Structure formats: C-alpha cells, structure tokens
C-alpha cells in the first residue's frame, strides 16, 4: 500500500519531526531491496522502540550514495525510491525519513551528523544499524563510532550482524547478482518476497498478437540488469494479480532491438496502454533463444506458457 494511503508518514529532508514521530528510534541504512538482512535491522529497531515506548522510523538516503559518488556508473536499484518506501511500510514501521544525499550531506563529518542531524534535529531515542553501515565524510563513521557517540549523547545503539545462510551473506549485492543470472528464486529467498518492478505499458509492434500471444510491453531502465530470458510472472494492475509469462530481451528471432519486457497475461482481455503495472518474478524458464522459424517459436511459447502456469500454480502466491 502506498505510504499516502495509510498512517505511515514520510519526512523529506533534515527538519524537525511532527509530534507523533518525535523522539524516534531509527533504523538507519540505504535499504535498497529491504531484504531479509535489512529486515533484521528494522526488527531490532522496532524491538528497541517498543522497550522505550517510542515510534520507530527508517532513516534512509536518496539518491543511493553510490549514484552520488559514481554518477557515470549505472546502479541496478532493487527498489527505486517509492518501491523502497512501500517495502519499508510493509515492515510495520511508523514512517521513514528520507535525506537527500548531496554534496552538503557528503561533506558532513561523522561527529556533525550525529550531533546536528540525529540528536539536534531528530532528537533520537535510539538507533539500530547493520554491521557494515558507514556514514559521514569519507565514510569515517563506523557502527562502533556510532555506539560511542550514542553513549556520549545518551541514546542506545544496536549493531546487527550479517545475516548468513550457507556461509553467504544476504545483501543487496548478492541479490543483484542472482537477478543478473536469472536466479529469481534465490533472489526471492534473500528478499523474503518475489522481486518485482513497476513500469508503464507502452505500444509495441503488435507481433505477439499476430502470434496468438498479445503482450503488455514495458521498457525498463538501462540500469536494470535482469538476465535475458523467459519467466513465470504475476502482473498486478489495479491491485489485482494476474498469472502471466514474460520474455525479457531483444527478440533475436526478429529484430534484436532494444531490450523490452513483454508480458503475456493468461486468460485476460483489456487495454493496459499507459497504465502502470507491477510485475513480480516467480520463476526462470530458459534463456532467450533465436528460432529458425515462427512456427518453432510459437511451439516453444506454448511450452513456456504451460511451464509458467505450472510454476505459478505450485507457488500459490
């Protein structure tokens, strides 16, 4: 549910908090993906907030600091700004503070960030951070430093260790790598939900309709590095999820053009042009292939549709 439709409150920038959010406990981090590792930090903050009787908020940054420091290097965001806020809301937080990551914030010393921002402006009652959280000019502020500053300023700090499974750390980087290789099931395990994206349906060349497979076409940002291939997906429009099969790639059988996500929705008729939809990835079927004939392609599309239906029926979500 979007933040504007519930009691979840979003505060933009460094400013005094409204009374219902005053003296908060903060879960602090970039939170791209709001994955299971992030959720442990948020859970620690919420537990502290319950002990202290204070509201619990996320403190996060936009744009992602890496995009500020390396603007020429595209960053595959798991959750763009609004999607991140929606995922944070789903954790049960009272709200989120979004700080603009700009030159002024990047130049602020770690000491000043604590004294002027966390204490002086937000008046925090406590904080929880991940083991690898760094802040302040030149990333000089570490979790240990934040604990020292908390003791000095009178607020507790909990540092949450890495969430490990099979000796692998659950992280945004690991999830990106999984998606880049088509491992959407592994990505979902680390996220705690199926990875999804939102985009607006655009007009295509109508080739799918001619083949008996009309599609909703979505042009994705170049920084999304999802593996080309065929996927079992659910497409949600107007809050209603629909089972579907999707192809992401350049259509080598036809034109090898720009990358598109083409979604064929099962048992659906309707006009989605210009509508924002959400596509959740439930299973990877195969890589994108070039076929020697249209008939061969259609036979494979039939097989892909059967496989996608089976995966979605088995997932039950």
């Amino acid at each position: 549910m979007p933040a504007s439709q519930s009691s979840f409150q979003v505060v933009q920038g460094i400013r005094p908090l409204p009374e219902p959010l005053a003296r908060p406990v903060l879960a602090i981090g970039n939170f791209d993906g709001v994955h299971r590792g992030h959720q442990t930090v948020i859970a620690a903050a919420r537990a502290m907030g319950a002990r202290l009787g204070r509201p619990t908020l996320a403190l996060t940054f936009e744009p992602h600091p890496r995009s500020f420091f390396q603007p020429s290097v595209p960053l595959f965001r798991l959750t763009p700004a609004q999607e991140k806020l929606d995922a944070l809301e789903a954790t049960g937080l009272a709200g989120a503070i979004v700080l603009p990551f700009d030159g002024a914030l990047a130049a602020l010393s770690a000491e000043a960030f604590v004294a002027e921002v966390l204490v002086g402006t937000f008046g925090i009652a406590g904080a929880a951070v991940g083991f690898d959280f760094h802040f302040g000019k030149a990333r000089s502020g570490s979790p240990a430093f934040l604990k020292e500053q908390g003791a000095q300023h009178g607020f507790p700090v909990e540092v949450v260790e890495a969430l490990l499974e099979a000796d692998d750390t659950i992280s945004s980087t690991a999830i990106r790598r999984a998606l880049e290789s088509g491992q959407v099931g592994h990505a979902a395990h680390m996220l705690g939900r199926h990875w999804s994206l939102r985009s607006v349906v655009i007009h295509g060349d109508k080739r799918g309709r001619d083949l008996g497979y009309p599609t909703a076409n979505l042009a994705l940002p170049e920084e999304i590095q999802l593996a080309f291939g065929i996927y079992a997906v659910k497409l949600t429009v107007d809050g209603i999820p629909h089972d579907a099969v999707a192809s992401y790639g350049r259509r080598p059988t036809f034109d090898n053009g720009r990358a598109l996500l083409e979604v064929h929705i099962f048992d659906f008729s309707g006009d989605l042009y210009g509508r924002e939809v959400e596509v959740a990835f439930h299973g990877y079927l195969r890589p994108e292939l070039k076929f020697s004939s249209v008939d061969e392609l259609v036979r494979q599309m039939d097989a892909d549709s059967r496989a996608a239906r089976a995966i979605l029926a088995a997932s039950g979500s």
Side-chain angles (χ1 to χ4, degrees):
M1 181 187 296
S4 60
Q5 297 179 10
S6 79
S7 59
F8 185 81
Q9 295 188 55
V10 178
V11 176
Q12 300 282 350
I14 301 174
R15 62 179 66 183
L17 299 173
E19 184 56 36
L21 304 182
R23 292 280 295 154
V25 171
L26 298 182
I28 309 175
N30 293 318
F31 298 127
D32 184 30
V34 194
H35 54 64
R36 288 172 53 213
H38 295 147
Q39 291 164 31
T40 61
V41 176
I42 292 166
R46 291 190 66 202
M48 185 186 297
R51 289 195 303 272
L52 299 177
R54 304 310 310 161
T56 308
L57 313 177
L59 173 62
T60 189
F61 309 90
E62 287 293 340
H64 192 290
R66 193 184 307 172
S67 296
F68 173 81
F69 289 113
Q70 298 177 293
S72 62
V73 180
L75 175 64
F76 179 5
R77 287 282 299 269
L78 300 172
T79 45
Q82 185 57 53
E83 285 91 324
K84 179 169 70 173
L85 289 174
D86 291 345
L88 288 170
E89 179 181 359
T91 67
L93 290 164
I97 302 168
V98 182
L99 296 190
F101 200 93
D102 54 18
L105 189 63
L108 203 62
S109 71
E111 293 90 341
F113 181 78
V114 174
E116 298 173 16
V117 178
L118 297 185
V119 177
T121 301
F122 299 139
I124 70 170
V129 296
F131 70 101
D132 57 352
F133 176 69
H134 286 76
F135 62 99
K137 185 177 181 180
R139 291 170 50 86
S140 60
S142 65
F145 176 80
L146 184 59
K147 288 195 80 163
E148 293 171 3
Q149 289 288 294
Q152 210 171 356
H153 289 278
F155 63 85
V157 174
E158 183 166 346
V159 179
V160 178
E161 295 304 317
L163 184 59
L164 294 173
E165 289 194 351
D167 295 326
D168 289 330
T169 301
I170 292 177
S171 68
S172 300
T173 298
I175 296 167
R176 292 186 192 106
R177 287 174 180 159
L179 294 171
E180 287 166 3
S181 59
Q183 299 178 67
V184 293
H186 185 42
H189 176 71
M190 291 187 283
L191 283 165
R193 65 186 185 282
H194 296 288
W195 180 70
S196 65
L197 55 83
R198 298 175 192 168
S199 190
V200 173
V201 177
I202 61 173
H203 286 276
D205 53 22
K206 311 297 191 294
R207 189 180 292 120
R209 183 180 303 171
D210 295 338
L211 299 176
Y213 283 92
T215 59
N217 300 319
L218 297 89
L220 307 184
E222 289 185 4
E223 58 267 22
I224 288 182
Q225 297 298 311
L226 179 68
F228 287 172
I230 312 302
Y231 295 88
V233 304
K234 284 184 180 283
L235 181 145
T236 297
V237 61
D238 294 332
I240 301 172
H242 302 271
D243 289 358
V245 63
S247 170
Y248 182 52
R250 301 186 182 279
R251 303 160 306 285
T253 301
F254 296 105
D255 58 7
N256 213 32
R258 66 169 176 161
L260 281 177
L261 180 64
E262 300 172 284
V263 185
H264 172 66
I265 310 169
F266 300 134
D267 312 314
F268 177 85
S269 62
D271 183 358
L272 295 179
Y273 293 122
R275 304 285 301 279
E276 183 180 72
V277 299
E278 182 170 12
V279 180
F281 292 78
H282 285 241
Y284 177 76
L285 303 181
R286 62 173 176 85
E288 185 178 43
L289 301 171
K290 183 175 182 177
F291 293 90
S292 58
S293 70
V294 170
D295 287 343
E296 184 185 2
L297 170 61
V298 171
R299 285 195 297 272
Q300 183 61 58
M301 292 167 74
D302 292 341
D304 292 338
S305 294
R306 290 192 297 271
R309 286 181 185 270
I311 288 172
L312 294 167
S315 74
S317 61

